[in-house]
Amino acid sequence: MADLFSSVFSGGGGGKLRYQEFTSTGTFVPSSALLLKGGVVYYKAWAGGGGGGGGGTSPQGQANSGGGGGGGQYQEGFITVSGSILVSPGTAGAGGGTNTSGTNGGNTTIGPITLLGGGGGGGGSTATNGLSGACGGGGSGTTAVAGGASSCGGSGGGSNSSASFNPSSTGGAGGAGTAGGAGALGMNGGVTAGPEGTSIAGAGVNGVCGGGGGGGGGGRRLPGASGGGDGAFSTTAAIAGRANSGGGGGGGNASQTSGAAGGSGYVLLIWSE
């Protein structure tokens, strides 16, 4: 892609590079100079990240954590325009309430091109998969269910109960995919000292699409990646995905039950005239 970018926009014609950013819906209006040069525009874009799943407590008193939201799809390439086009970055997915899945992030559109939003993280307490999307949301609940299938790996799910009930319990892996690695598992640990073990939240996916961290039920957490928000841990609330990154939101836990929102999408257009 870098070589193609250079071949299209390198010196030759003596043109100047121009760019325009979109963090909200707008219209790209090509100049007459751009149209005279063929209307070729390079784009980099992210869709909205999925919201983290909410945590809570099961009827048996077990502490459950929600899965982290999946990151929005990333894509770069060229589009040829002959007139104005609508550009709309995806909105952030909302975090889930108590034991409720987060919502998917919004799709990003650049004229006829569509990038899919990240999947919402699964809610705690019940065996809910993360939602399907560009990147599947993290699994969560009373069994180690996987995140939704997707074109990009989802975030890892949060732990499914406190270590005092089930020391070896883990959350589900993120959905596997082609645009990024699957997210790490969330787990309770339970092998370290303490009445409830050491709770470890799921990390976000590695790569351009950044899932949120899964929720943790206790001591510590791993951060989200590439714009993904950290999962809740102890009495610290989950963190939202970074704005304009497409990162997923962190999952909630039994103490801080709310999942966090994902990060909004973003579009960058570059052209020569």
Coordinates of all heavy atoms in Angstrom, one line a residue, residues 5-113:
F5 N 0.8 4.2 -2.8 CA 0.7 5.6 -2.4 C 1.7 6.5 -3.0 O 1.5 7.5 -3.5 CB 0.7 5.7 -0.8 CG 0.5 7.1 -0.3 CD1 -0.7 7.6 0.0 CD2 1.6 7.9 -0.1 CE1 -0.9 8.9 0.5 CE2 1.5 9.2 0.4 CZ 0.2 9.7 0.7
S6 N 3.0 6.0 -2.9 CA 4.1 6.8 -3.4 C 4.0 6.9 -5.0 O 4.3 8.0 -5.5 CB 5.4 6.1 -3.1 OG 5.6 6.0 -1.7
S7 N 3.6 5.9 -5.6 CA 3.5 5.9 -7.1 C 2.4 6.9 -7.6 O 2.6 7.5 -8.6 CB 3.3 4.5 -7.7 OG 2.0 4.1 -7.3
V8 N 1.4 7.0 -6.8 CA 0.3 7.9 -7.2 C 0.6 9.4 -6.8 O 0.3 10.3 -7.6 CB -1.0 7.5 -6.5 CG1 -2.2 8.5 -6.8 CG2 -1.5 6.1 -7.0
F9 N 1.2 9.6 -5.6 CA 1.3 10.9 -5.1 C 2.8 11.5 -5.1 O 3.0 12.6 -4.7 CB 0.8 11.0 -3.7 CG -0.7 10.8 -3.6 CD1 -1.2 9.9 -2.7 CD2 -1.6 11.5 -4.5 CE1 -2.6 9.7 -2.7 CE2 -2.9 11.3 -4.4 CZ -3.5 10.4 -3.5
S10 N 3.7 10.7 -5.6 CA 5.1 11.2 -5.7 C 5.3 12.3 -6.7 O 4.5 12.4 -7.7 CB 6.1 10.1 -5.9 OG 5.8 9.5 -7.2
G11 N 6.3 13.2 -6.4 CA 6.6 14.4 -7.2 C 6.1 14.6 -8.6 O 5.3 15.4 -8.8
G12 N 6.4 13.9 -9.6 CA 6.1 14.0 -11.0 C 5.4 15.2 -11.5 O 5.9 16.0 -12.2
G13 N 4.1 15.4 -11.0 CA 3.3 16.5 -11.6 C 3.5 17.8 -10.8 O 2.9 18.8 -11.2
G14 N 4.3 17.8 -9.8 CA 4.5 19.1 -9.0 C 3.3 19.5 -8.2 O 3.2 20.6 -7.8
G15 N 2.3 18.6 -7.9 CA 1.2 18.9 -7.1 C 1.5 19.0 -5.7 O 2.5 18.5 -5.2
K16 N 0.6 19.6 -4.9 CA 0.7 19.7 -3.4 C -0.3 18.7 -2.8 O -1.4 18.5 -3.2 CB 0.4 21.1 -3.0 CG 1.4 22.1 -3.4 CD 1.1 23.5 -2.9 CE 2.2 24.5 -3.3 NZ 1.9 25.9 -2.8
L17 N 0.2 18.0 -1.7 CA -0.6 17.2 -0.9 C -1.6 18.0 -0.1 O -1.2 18.9 0.6 CB 0.2 16.2 -0.1 CG 1.0 15.1 -0.8 CD1 1.7 14.2 0.2 CD2 0.0 14.2 -1.6
R18 N -2.8 17.5 -0.1 CA -3.9 18.1 0.8 C -4.5 17.0 1.6 O -4.4 15.9 1.3 CB -5.0 18.8 -0.1 CG -4.5 19.8 -1.1 CD -3.9 21.0 -0.5 NE -3.6 22.0 -1.5 CZ -3.0 23.2 -1.3 NH1 -2.6 23.5 0.0 NH2 -2.7 24.0 -2.2
Y19 N -5.1 17.4 2.7 CA -5.8 16.4 3.5 C -7.0 17.0 4.2 O -7.1 18.2 4.4 CB -4.9 15.8 4.6 CG -4.5 16.7 5.8 CD1 -5.3 16.6 6.9 CD2 -3.5 17.6 5.7 CE1 -5.0 17.4 8.0 CE2 -3.2 18.4 6.8 CZ -3.9 18.3 7.9 OH -3.7 19.1 9.0
Q20 N -7.9 16.1 4.6 CA -9.1 16.5 5.4 C -9.5 15.4 6.4 O -9.5 14.2 6.0 CB -10.3 16.8 4.5 CG -11.5 17.4 5.2 CD -12.6 17.8 4.3 OE1 -12.5 17.9 3.0 NE2 -13.8 18.2 4.8
E21 N -9.7 15.8 7.6 CA -10.1 14.8 8.7 C -11.6 14.9 8.9 O -12.2 16.0 8.9 CB -9.4 15.1 10.0 CG -7.8 15.0 9.9 CD -7.2 15.4 11.2 OE1 -7.2 16.6 11.5 OE2 -6.7 14.5 11.9
F22 N -12.2 13.8 9.2 CA -13.6 13.7 9.6 C -13.7 13.0 10.9 O -13.4 11.8 11.0 CB -14.4 13.0 8.5 CG -14.5 13.7 7.2 CD1 -13.5 13.6 6.2 CD2 -15.6 14.5 7.0 CE1 -13.7 14.3 5.0 CE2 -15.8 15.2 5.8 CZ -14.8 15.1 4.8
T23 N -14.2 13.7 11.9 CA -14.5 13.1 13.2 C -16.0 13.1 13.4 O -16.5 12.6 14.4 CB -13.9 13.8 14.4 OG1 -14.3 15.2 14.3 CG2 -12.3 13.8 14.2
S24 N -16.8 13.6 12.5 CA -18.2 13.6 12.5 C -18.7 13.6 11.0 O -17.9 13.9 10.1 CB -18.8 14.7 13.3 OG -18.4 16.0 12.7
T25 N -19.9 13.4 10.8 CA -20.5 13.3 9.4 C -20.3 14.6 8.7 O -20.6 15.7 9.2 CB -21.9 12.9 9.5 OG1 -22.1 11.6 10.1 CG2 -22.5 12.8 8.0
G26 N -19.8 14.5 7.5 CA -19.7 15.7 6.6 C -19.6 15.3 5.2 O -19.7 14.1 4.8
T27 N -19.4 16.3 4.3 CA -19.3 16.1 2.9 C -17.9 16.4 2.4 O -17.4 17.5 2.7 CB -20.4 16.9 2.1 OG1 -21.7 16.5 2.6 CG2 -20.3 16.7 0.6
F28 N -17.4 15.5 1.6 CA -16.1 15.8 1.0 C -16.4 16.4 -0.4 O -17.0 15.8 -1.3 CB -15.2 14.6 0.8 CG -13.9 14.8 0.1 CD1 -13.0 15.7 0.5 CD2 -13.7 14.2 -1.2 CE1 -11.8 15.9 -0.2 CE2 -12.6 14.4 -1.9 CZ -11.6 15.3 -1.4
V29 N -15.9 17.6 -0.7 CA -16.2 18.3 -1.9 C -14.8 18.4 -2.7 O -14.0 19.2 -2.3 CB -16.8 19.7 -1.7 CG1 -17.1 20.4 -3.0 CG2 -18.1 19.6 -0.9
P30 N -14.6 17.6 -3.7 CA -13.3 17.7 -4.4 C -13.2 19.0 -5.2 O -14.1 19.5 -5.7 CB -13.4 16.5 -5.4 CG -14.9 16.3 -5.6 CD -15.6 16.7 -4.3
S31 N -11.9 19.5 -5.2 CA -11.6 20.7 -5.9 C -11.6 20.4 -7.4 O -11.4 19.3 -7.8 CB -10.3 21.3 -5.5 OG -9.3 20.4 -5.8
S32 N -11.7 21.4 -8.2 CA -11.6 21.3 -9.7 C -10.2 20.7 -10.0 O -10.0 19.9 -11.0 CB -11.8 22.6 -10.4 OG -11.0 23.6 -9.9
A33 N -9.1 21.2 -9.3 CA -7.8 20.7 -9.5 C -7.7 19.2 -9.3 O -7.0 18.5 -10.0 CB -6.8 21.4 -8.6
L34 N -8.3 18.7 -8.2 CA -8.3 17.2 -7.9 C -9.0 16.5 -9.1 O -8.5 15.5 -9.5 CB -9.0 17.0 -6.6 CG -9.3 15.5 -6.3 CD1 -8.0 14.7 -6.3 CD2 -10.0 15.4 -4.9
L35 N -10.2 17.0 -9.5 CA -10.9 16.3 -10.5 C -10.1 16.3 -11.8 O -10.2 15.3 -12.6 CB -12.3 17.0 -10.7 CG -13.2 16.9 -9.5 CD1 -14.5 17.6 -9.8 CD2 -13.5 15.4 -9.2
L36 N -9.4 17.3 -12.1 CA -8.6 17.4 -13.4 C -7.5 16.3 -13.3 O -7.0 15.9 -14.4 CB -8.0 18.8 -13.6 CG -9.0 19.8 -14.1 CD1 -8.3 21.2 -14.0 CD2 -9.5 19.5 -15.5
K37 N -7.0 16.0 -12.1 CA -6.0 15.0 -12.0 C -6.5 13.6 -11.8 O -5.8 12.6 -11.5 CB -5.1 15.3 -10.8 CG -4.3 16.6 -10.9 CD -3.3 16.8 -9.8 CE -2.1 15.8 -10.0 NZ -1.0 16.2 -9.0
G38 N -7.8 13.4 -12.0 CA -8.4 12.0 -12.0 C -9.2 11.7 -10.8 O -9.8 10.6 -10.8
G39 N -9.2 12.6 -9.8 CA -10.1 12.4 -8.6 C -9.7 11.2 -7.7 O -10.5 10.7 -6.9
V40 N -8.4 10.9 -7.7 CA -7.9 9.8 -6.8 C -7.6 10.3 -5.4 O -6.8 11.2 -5.2 CB -6.6 9.1 -7.4 CG1 -6.1 8.0 -6.5 CG2 -6.9 8.6 -8.8
V41 N -8.2 9.7 -4.4 CA -8.1 10.1 -3.0 C -7.7 8.9 -2.2 O -8.3 7.8 -2.3 CB -9.4 10.7 -2.5 CG1 -9.3 11.0 -1.0 CG2 -9.8 11.9 -3.3
Y42 N -6.7 9.0 -1.4 CA -6.2 8.0 -0.4 C -7.0 8.2 0.9 O -7.1 9.3 1.3 CB -4.7 8.1 -0.2 CG -4.1 7.2 0.8 CD1 -3.9 5.8 0.6 CD2 -3.7 7.7 2.0 CE1 -3.4 5.0 1.5 CE2 -3.2 6.9 3.0 CZ -3.0 5.5 2.7 OH -2.4 4.7 3.7
Y43 N -7.4 7.1 1.5 CA -8.1 7.2 2.8 C -7.5 6.2 3.8 O -7.0 5.1 3.5 CB -9.6 6.9 2.6 CG -9.9 5.5 2.2 CD1 -10.1 4.5 3.1 CD2 -10.1 5.1 0.8 CE1 -10.4 3.2 2.8 CE2 -10.4 3.8 0.5 CZ -10.6 2.9 1.5 OH -10.8 1.6 1.1
K44 N -7.6 6.6 5.1 CA -7.4 5.8 6.2 C -8.6 5.9 7.1 O -9.0 7.1 7.4 CB -6.1 6.2 7.0 CG -4.8 6.0 6.2 CD -3.6 6.4 7.0 CE -3.3 5.4 8.1 NZ -2.0 5.6 8.7
A45 N -9.2 4.8 7.6 CA -10.4 5.0 8.3 C -10.6 3.9 9.4 O -10.1 2.8 9.2 CB -11.6 4.9 7.3
W46 N -11.3 4.2 10.4 CA -11.7 3.3 11.5 C -13.2 3.4 11.7 O -13.8 4.5 11.7 CB -11.0 3.7 12.8 CG -9.5 3.4 12.9 CD1 -8.9 2.4 13.6 CD2 -8.5 4.2 12.4 NE1 -7.6 2.5 13.5 CE2 -7.2 3.6 12.8 CE3 -8.4 5.4 11.6 CZ2 -6.0 4.1 12.4 CZ3 -7.2 5.9 11.3 CH2 -6.0 5.3 11.7
A47 N -13.8 2.3 12.0 CA -15.2 2.3 12.4 C -15.3 2.4 13.9 O -14.3 2.3 14.6 CB -15.9 1.0 11.9
G48 N -16.5 2.6 14.4 CA -16.7 2.8 15.9 C -16.4 1.5 16.6 O -16.7 0.4 16.2
G49 N -15.9 1.6 17.8 CA -15.6 0.5 18.7 C -16.8 0.0 19.5 O -17.7 0.9 19.8
G50 N -16.9 -1.3 19.8 CA -18.1 -1.8 20.5 C -18.0 -1.4 22.0 O -16.9 -1.3 22.6
G51 N -19.1 -1.3 22.7 CA -19.1 -1.0 24.1 C -18.8 -2.3 24.9 O -19.1 -3.4 24.5
G52 N -18.2 -2.1 26.1 CA -17.9 -3.2 27.0 C -19.2 -3.8 27.6 O -20.2 -3.0 27.8
G53 N -19.2 -5.1 27.9 CA -20.3 -5.7 28.6 C -20.4 -5.3 30.0 O -19.3 -5.1 30.7
G54 N -21.6 -5.3 30.6 CA -21.7 -5.0 32.0 C -21.5 -6.2 32.9 O -21.8 -7.3 32.5
G55 N -20.9 -6.0 34.1 CA -20.7 -7.0 35.1 C -21.9 -7.1 36.0 O -22.9 -6.4 35.9
G56 N -21.7 -7.9 37.1 CA -22.8 -8.0 38.1 C -22.5 -9.2 39.0 O -21.4 -9.7 39.0
T57 N -23.6 -9.6 39.6 CA -23.6 -10.7 40.5 C -24.6 -11.7 40.1 O -25.8 -11.4 39.8 CB -23.8 -10.3 42.0 OG1 -22.9 -9.3 42.3 CG2 -23.7 -11.4 42.9
S58 N -24.3 -13.0 40.1 CA -25.2 -14.1 39.8 C -26.2 -14.3 40.9 O -26.0 -13.9 42.1 CB -24.5 -15.3 39.4 OG -24.0 -16.0 40.6
P59 N -27.3 -15.0 40.7 CA -28.2 -15.4 41.8 C -27.6 -16.2 42.9 O -28.0 -16.2 44.0 CB -29.3 -16.2 41.1 CG -29.3 -15.8 39.7 CD -27.8 -15.5 39.4
Q60 N -26.5 -16.9 42.6 CA -25.7 -17.6 43.6 C -24.7 -16.8 44.4 O -23.9 -17.3 45.2 CB -25.0 -18.8 43.0 CG -26.0 -19.9 42.4 CD -26.6 -19.5 41.1 OE1 -26.0 -18.7 40.3 NE2 -27.8 -19.9 40.9
G61 N -24.6 -15.5 44.0 CA -23.7 -14.6 44.7 C -22.3 -14.5 44.0 O -21.4 -14.0 44.6
Q62 N -22.2 -15.2 42.9 CA -20.9 -15.1 42.2 C -20.7 -13.8 41.5 O -21.6 -13.2 41.0 CB -20.8 -16.2 41.2 CG -20.9 -17.6 41.8 CD -21.0 -18.7 40.7 OE1 -21.7 -18.5 39.7 NE2 -20.3 -19.8 40.9
A63 N -19.4 -13.3 41.6 CA -19.1 -12.1 40.9 C -18.8 -12.4 39.4 O -17.9 -13.2 39.1 CB -17.9 -11.4 41.6
N64 N -19.4 -11.7 38.5 CA -19.3 -11.9 37.1 C -18.8 -10.6 36.4 O -19.3 -9.5 36.8 CB -20.6 -12.4 36.5 CG -21.0 -13.7 37.0 OD1 -20.4 -14.7 36.6 ND2 -22.0 -13.7 37.9
S65 N -18.0 -10.8 35.4 CA -17.5 -9.6 34.7 C -17.9 -9.6 33.2 O -18.0 -10.7 32.6 CB -16.0 -9.6 34.8 OG -15.5 -9.4 36.1
G66 N -18.1 -8.5 32.6 CA -18.4 -8.4 31.2 C -17.2 -8.4 30.3 O -16.1 -8.1 30.7
G67 N -17.4 -8.9 29.1 CA -16.3 -8.9 28.1 C -16.1 -7.5 27.6 O -16.9 -6.6 27.5
G68 N -14.8 -7.2 27.1 CA -14.5 -6.0 26.5 C -15.1 -5.9 25.1 O -15.4 -6.9 24.4
G69 N -15.4 -4.7 24.6 CA -15.9 -4.5 23.3 C -14.8 -4.7 22.2 O -13.6 -4.5 22.5
G70 N -15.2 -5.1 21.1 CA -14.3 -5.3 19.9 C -14.0 -4.0 19.3 O -14.8 -3.1 19.3
G71 N -12.8 -3.9 18.7 CA -12.4 -2.7 18.0 C -13.1 -2.6 16.6 O -13.5 -3.6 16.0
G72 N -13.3 -1.4 16.1 CA -13.9 -1.2 14.8 C -12.9 -1.6 13.7 O -11.7 -1.5 13.9
Q73 N -13.5 -1.9 12.6 CA -12.6 -2.3 11.4 C -11.8 -1.1 11.0 O -12.2 0.0 10.9 CB -13.5 -2.7 10.3 CG -12.8 -3.2 9.0 CD -13.7 -3.6 7.9 OE1 -14.9 -3.6 8.1 NE2 -13.2 -4.0 6.8
Y74 N -10.5 -1.4 10.6 CA -9.6 -0.4 10.1 C -9.4 -0.8 8.6 O -9.3 -2.0 8.2 CB -8.3 -0.5 10.8 CG -7.2 0.3 10.1 CD1 -7.1 1.7 10.2 CD2 -6.3 -0.3 9.2 CE1 -6.1 2.4 9.5 CE2 -5.3 0.4 8.6 CZ -5.2 1.7 8.7 OH -4.2 2.5 8.1
Q75 N -9.3 0.2 7.8 CA -9.0 0.0 6.3 C -8.4 1.2 5.7 O -8.6 2.4 6.1 CB -10.4 -0.3 5.6 CG -10.2 -0.7 4.1 CD -11.5 -1.2 3.6 OE1 -12.1 -2.1 4.0 NE2 -12.0 -0.5 2.6
E76 N -7.5 1.0 4.8 CA -6.9 2.1 4.0 C -6.8 1.7 2.6 O -6.8 0.5 2.2 CB -5.5 2.4 4.5 CG -4.5 1.2 4.5 CD -3.1 1.6 5.0 OE1 -2.5 2.5 4.5 OE2 -2.7 1.0 6.0
G77 N -6.9 2.7 1.7 CA -6.9 2.4 0.3 C -7.2 3.6 -0.6 O -7.0 4.8 -0.1
F78 N -7.6 3.4 -1.8 CA -7.9 4.6 -2.7 C -9.4 4.5 -3.1 O -9.9 3.5 -3.3 CB -7.0 4.5 -3.9 CG -5.5 4.8 -3.6 CD1 -4.7 3.7 -3.3 CD2 -5.0 6.0 -3.6 CE1 -3.4 3.9 -3.0 CE2 -3.7 6.3 -3.3 CZ -2.9 5.2 -3.0
I79 N -9.9 5.7 -3.3 CA -11.2 5.9 -3.9 C -11.1 6.9 -5.0 O -10.4 8.0 -4.8 CB -12.3 6.2 -2.8 CG1 -13.7 6.3 -3.4 CG2 -11.9 7.5 -2.1 CD1 -14.8 6.5 -2.4
T80 N -11.8 6.7 -6.1 CA -11.8 7.7 -7.2 C -13.2 8.4 -7.1 O -14.2 7.8 -7.2 CB -11.6 7.1 -8.5 OG1 -10.3 6.4 -8.5 CG2 -11.7 8.1 -9.6
V81 N -13.1 9.8 -7.0 CA -14.4 10.5 -6.9 C -14.6 11.4 -8.2 O -13.6 11.8 -8.8 CB -14.3 11.5 -5.7 CG1 -14.2 10.6 -4.4 CG2 -13.2 12.5 -5.7
S82 N -15.8 11.6 -8.5 CA -16.2 12.5 -9.6 C -17.0 13.6 -9.2 O -17.4 14.5 -10.0 CB -16.9 11.6 -10.7 OG -18.1 11.1 -10.2
G83 N -17.3 13.7 -7.9 CA -18.1 14.7 -7.3 C -18.1 14.6 -5.8 O -17.3 13.8 -5.2
S84 N -19.0 15.3 -5.1 CA -19.0 15.3 -3.7 C -19.5 13.9 -3.2 O -20.3 13.2 -3.8 CB -20.0 16.3 -3.2 OG -19.6 17.6 -3.5
I85 N -18.9 13.5 -2.0 CA -19.3 12.2 -1.4 C -19.6 12.5 0.1 O -18.9 13.4 0.7 CB -18.3 11.1 -1.5 CG1 -16.9 11.5 -1.0 CG2 -18.2 10.7 -3.0 CD1 -15.9 10.4 -0.9
L86 N -20.5 11.7 0.7 CA -20.7 11.8 2.1 C -19.8 10.9 2.9 O -19.5 9.8 2.5 CB -22.2 11.3 2.4 CG -22.6 11.4 3.9 CD1 -22.8 12.9 4.3 CD2 -24.0 10.7 4.0
V87 N -19.2 11.5 4.0 CA -18.3 10.7 4.8 C -18.8 10.7 6.2 O -19.2 11.8 6.8 CB -16.9 11.4 4.8 CG1 -15.9 10.7 5.8 CG2 -16.3 11.5 3.4
S88 N -18.9 9.5 6.8 CA -19.6 9.4 8.1 C -18.8 8.4 9.0 O -18.9 7.2 8.9 CB -21.0 8.9 8.0 OG -21.7 8.8 9.2
P89 N -18.0 8.9 10.0 CA -17.3 8.0 10.9 C -18.3 7.3 11.8 O -19.3 7.9 12.2 CB -16.4 9.0 11.7 CG -16.3 10.2 10.9 CD -17.6 10.3 10.2
G90 N -18.0 6.1 12.2 CA -18.9 5.4 13.0 C -19.0 5.9 14.5 O -18.0 6.4 15.0
T91 N -20.2 5.8 15.0 CA -20.4 6.2 16.4 C -19.9 5.2 17.4 O -19.7 4.0 17.0 CB -21.9 6.5 16.7 OG1 -22.6 5.3 16.4 CG2 -22.4 7.7 15.9
A92 N -19.6 5.6 18.6 CA -19.1 4.7 19.6 C -20.3 3.8 20.1 O -21.4 4.2 20.3 CB -18.6 5.4 20.8
G93 N -20.0 2.5 20.3 CA -21.0 1.6 20.9 C -21.1 1.9 22.4 O -20.2 2.3 23.1
A94 N -22.4 1.8 22.9 CA -22.6 2.1 24.3 C -22.2 0.9 25.2 O -22.4 -0.3 24.8 CB -24.1 2.4 24.5
G95 N -21.8 1.2 26.4 CA -21.5 0.1 27.4 C -22.7 -0.5 27.9 O -23.8 0.2 28.0
G96 N -22.7 -1.7 28.3 CA -23.8 -2.4 28.8 C -24.0 -2.1 30.3 O -23.1 -1.8 31.1
G97 N -25.3 -2.2 30.8 CA -25.6 -2.1 32.2 C -25.4 -3.4 32.9 O -24.7 -4.3 32.3
T98 N -25.9 -3.5 34.1 CA -25.6 -4.7 34.9 C -26.0 -6.0 34.1 O -27.1 -6.2 33.7 CB -26.5 -4.7 36.2 OG1 -26.1 -3.5 36.9 CG2 -26.2 -5.9 37.1
N99 N -25.0 -6.9 34.0 CA -25.1 -8.2 33.3 C -25.7 -8.1 31.9 O -26.3 -9.0 31.4 CB -26.0 -9.1 34.1 CG -25.4 -9.5 35.4 OD1 -24.1 -9.6 35.5 ND2 -26.2 -9.7 36.5
T100 N -25.5 -7.0 31.2 CA -26.0 -6.7 29.9 C -24.9 -6.5 28.9 O -23.9 -5.8 29.2 CB -27.0 -5.5 29.9 OG1 -28.0 -5.7 30.9 CG2 -27.6 -5.3 28.5
S101 N -25.1 -7.1 27.7 CA -24.1 -6.9 26.6 C -24.0 -5.4 26.2 O -25.0 -4.7 26.2 CB -24.4 -7.7 25.4 OG -24.4 -9.1 25.7
G102 N -22.8 -5.0 25.8 CA -22.6 -3.7 25.2 C -23.2 -3.7 23.8 O -23.5 -4.8 23.2
T103 N -23.3 -2.5 23.2 CA -23.8 -2.5 21.8 C -22.7 -2.3 20.8 O -21.6 -1.9 21.1 CB -24.8 -1.3 21.6 OG1 -24.1 -0.1 21.8 CG2 -26.0 -1.3 22.6
N104 N -23.0 -2.7 19.6 CA -22.0 -2.6 18.5 C -21.6 -1.2 18.2 O -22.5 -0.3 18.3 CB -22.5 -3.3 17.2 CG -22.5 -4.8 17.3 OD1 -22.2 -5.4 18.3 ND2 -23.0 -5.4 16.2
G105 N -20.4 -0.9 17.8 CA -20.0 0.4 17.3 C -20.7 0.6 15.9 O -21.1 -0.3 15.2
G106 N -20.8 1.9 15.6 CA -21.4 2.3 14.3 C -20.4 2.0 13.1 O -19.2 2.1 13.2
N107 N -21.0 1.7 12.0 CA -20.2 1.6 10.7 C -19.7 3.0 10.3 O -20.4 4.0 10.5 CB -21.1 1.0 9.6 CG -21.5 -0.4 9.9 OD1 -21.0 -1.1 10.8 ND2 -22.5 -0.9 9.2
T108 N -18.6 2.9 9.6 CA -18.0 4.1 9.0 C -18.2 4.0 7.5 O -18.0 2.9 6.9 CB -16.5 4.3 9.3 OG1 -16.3 4.7 10.6 CG2 -15.8 5.3 8.3
T109 N -18.7 5.1 6.8 CA -18.9 5.1 5.4 C -18.1 6.2 4.7 O -18.0 7.3 5.3 CB -20.4 5.2 5.0 OG1 -20.9 6.4 5.6 CG2 -21.2 4.0 5.6
I110 N -17.6 5.9 3.6 CA -16.9 6.9 2.7 C -17.5 6.7 1.3 O -17.0 5.8 0.6 CB -15.3 6.6 2.7 CG1 -14.8 6.5 4.1 CG2 -14.6 7.8 1.9 CD1 -13.4 6.0 4.2
G111 N -18.5 7.5 1.0 CA -19.2 7.3 -0.2 C -19.7 5.8 -0.2 O -20.5 5.4 0.7
P112 N -19.3 5.0 -1.2 CA -19.9 3.6 -1.3 C -19.1 2.6 -0.4 O -19.5 1.5 -0.3 CB -19.6 3.3 -2.8 CG -18.4 4.0 -3.1 CD -18.5 5.3 -2.4
I113 N -18.1 3.0 0.3 CA -17.3 2.1 1.1 C -17.8 2.1 2.5 O -18.1 3.1 3.1 CB -15.8 2.6 1.1 CG1 -15.2 2.5 -0.3 CG2 -15.0 1.7 2.0 CD1 -13.9 3.2 -0.4

